Amino acid sequence: MNTQELTSRLLRAYGRTYADEAGITLRDTPAPLYQLLVLTVLCSIRIKADIATAAARELFGAGLRTPRAMADSRWQDRVDALGRAHYVRYDESTATALGEGAELVLDRWKGDLRNLREEADREPSAVRELLQEVPRIGPVGADIFCREVQQVWPELRPFFDDRTCETAASLGLPHTPRGLGRLVETEELARLAAALVRARLSKDAVSELRAA
């Protein structure tokens, strides 16, 4: 199987972004960017990705789609929404982090993460640093956000973190951001990054894809 065939197979099997799974129609506008930040917070602990995306859908279904709505919500309502998605053990601390993060977004960036982007002068490294000022988001969380937001923030492209590059190498694909970026059209970069993450998390994906 050549590189292009393997890439196509990878995208077909695993190429759904986590934003899409969480019900986020990603655009460069305040609400969906904030929703991606919420999803990033939920994914930034050791918990299964499907539970994190389910928790995001519960929060959004409860109307908590903007930093103002999140900040104004009751802590217990956030805990209850997380509980409905079986986001257990971390529900109380995460509910607190979401409330504090919403306040930060409102106070620091006027409720609009495009202002974070401008504060960073659209420099990828600066974007990552600023994201880590949000409660619960560390280097891994910053990578999660950047992998997905490259769909609408072109200065981040191609964004593939060390883990996705390692998975690409295990599949015999190019294993640098630039090399991976050449495999697909610009609009497919976030899908390819997500596919590599999902393949890494799947027990048999790498061996099955290499054997196909």
Side-chain angles (χ1 to χ4, degrees):
M1 181 184 299
N2 63 36
T3 297
Q4 195 56 54
E5 290 172 343
L6 178 57
T7 302
S8 296
R9 184 179 176 86
L10 178 65
L11 286 171
R12 285 196 303 272
Y14 299 104
R16 187 184 188 190
T17 66
Y18 287 95
D20 181 61
E21 185 177 342
I24 303 167
T25 302
L26 195 56
R27 299 187 182 94
D28 189 25
T29 54
L33 290 173
Y34 175 69
Q35 290 160 23
L36 179 59
L37 189 75
V38 169
L39 177 61
T40 299
V41 170
L42 296 171
C43 289
S44 292
I45 58 171
R46 291 185 177 275
I47 198 161
K48 290 182 178 180
D50 59 341
I51 294 177
T53 53
R57 291 195 301 272
E58 287 290 343
L59 289 164
F60 304 151
L64 307 184
R65 301 183 186 92
T66 67
R68 173 52 62 197
M70 188 70 76
D72 288 348
S73 66
R74 296 191 313 129
W75 177 82
Q76 188 61 54
D77 290 338
R78 300 195 294 270
V79 171
D80 292 345
L82 295 171
R84 290 194 294 273
H86 308 291
Y87 194 97
V88 294
R89 291 178 56 198
Y90 305 101
D91 53 350
E92 295 186 355
S93 63
T94 300
T96 298
L98 288 169
E100 292 174 349
E103 294 287 0
L104 173 67
V105 172
L106 289 167
D107 294 343
R108 177 78 174 272
W109 298 301
K110 310 303 181 186
D112 187 345
L113 290 173
R114 292 176 298 183
N115 290 325
L116 177 154
R117 184 187 186 191
E118 295 308 317
E119 183 179 335
D121 292 326
R122 303 195 179 200
E123 289 291 335
S125 61
V127 168
R128 290 185 75 260
E129 288 178 10
L130 288 175
L131 286 167
Q132 291 176 66
E133 296 188 23
V134 178
R136 183 63 67 77
I137 295 180
V140 172
D143 287 343
I144 292 169
F145 186 91
C146 290
R147 283 199 308 260
E148 300 266 328
V149 85
Q150 69 177 314
Q151 184 174 331
V152 294
W153 287 2
E155 67 273 12
L156 296 176
R157 301 173 189 153
F159 192 93
F160 296 91
D161 57 43
D162 289 344
R163 292 184 178 187
T164 52
C165 288
E166 289 170 6
T167 303
S170 71
L171 287 167
L173 293 172
H175 50 277
T176 65
R178 182 172 294 182
L180 287 167
R182 295 193 187 103
L183 295 179
V184 294
E185 298 296 329
T186 299
E187 61 270 18
E188 298 294 313
L189 289 169
R191 286 188 62 221
L192 179 58
L196 289 166
V197 173
R198 291 181 186 277
R200 182 185 182 95
L201 295 174
S202 174
K203 181 179 179 181
D204 301 316
V206 172
S207 58
E208 289 177 355
L209 285 165
R210 292 191 68 179

